[in-house]
């Protein structure tokens, strides 16, 4: 099951999550996971904003920035920090592109072979 984060700000709950579409969207805006530590001023805002896209499509960037500015526990140290969890959520989504299908119903499995 995919990881989901609930953020509450000013008594409003926000659900943060990634899927392939939202991951692709931040990539098209320039997000590169391997550059998170080297370019935090660019990558962290993209990573945070992208987590809102799945359930809060119309949210304004200014509100995302405000929420993030008031968030606790976002320090980049440790695997339980906010940014580390978001990065893991993003990576899990990307891993779904190469993971084998777990569906055992043969009617729903696509197979492939090399034809020479």
């Amino acid at each position: 099951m995919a990881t989901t984060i609930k953020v509450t700000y000013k008594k409003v709950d926000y659900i943060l999550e990634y899927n392939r579409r939202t991951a692709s969207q931040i990539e098209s805006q320039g997000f590169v996971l391997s550059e998170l530590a080297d370019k935090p001023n660019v990558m962290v805002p993209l990573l945070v904003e992208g987590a809102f896209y799945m359930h809060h499509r119309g949210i304004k960037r200014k509100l995302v920035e405000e929420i993030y500015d008031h968030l606790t526990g976002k320090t980049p140290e440790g695997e339980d920090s906010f940014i580390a969890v978001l990065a893991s959520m993003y990576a899990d989504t990307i891993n779904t592109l190469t993971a084998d299908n777990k569906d055992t119903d043969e009617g729903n499995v696509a197979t492939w072979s090399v034809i020479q």
Side-chain angles (χ1 to χ4, degrees):
M1 182 172 179
T3 302
T4 303
I5 294 174
K6 179 175 91 170
V7 172
T8 303
Y9 180 65
K10 294 186 176 179
K11 298 182 182 178
V12 176
D13 291 336
Y14 298 91
I15 303 301
L16 281 55
E17 193 172 9
Y18 276 99
N19 61 19
R20 289 180 188 174
R21 179 185 50 79
T22 59
S24 177
Q25 190 172 354
I26 66 168
E27 288 171 359
S28 70
Q29 295 172 4
F31 181 77
V32 179
L33 184 59
S34 63
E35 294 179 354
L36 191 59
D38 295 333
K39 298 180 181 178
N41 288 314
V42 175
M43 299 306 153
V44 169
L46 285 172
L47 182 67
V48 173
E49 187 175 344
F52 282 86
Y53 291 164
M54 188 169 162
H55 297 287
H56 309 283
R57 192 122 193 87
I59 194 166
K60 302 285 187 209
R61 178 173 283 159
K62 184 173 174 87
L63 178 56
V64 172
E65 290 171 358
E66 181 180 329
I67 292 168
Y68 183 70
D69 285 346
H70 290 88
L71 193 67
T72 60
K74 61 186 172 188
T75 57
E77 299 161 10
E79 50 188 60
D80 290 333
S81 72
F82 183 72
I83 297 304
V85 172
L86 282 183
S88 177
M89 290 166 55
Y90 169 85
D92 288 347
T93 300
I94 302 311
N95 291 337
T96 67
L97 290 169
T98 57
D100 280 340
N101 184 350
K102 304 277 191 266
D103 194 342
T104 57
D105 179 6
E106 289 184 30
N108 288 330
V109 176
T111 61
W112 65 277
S113 61
V114 176
I115 300 173
Q116 296 188 8

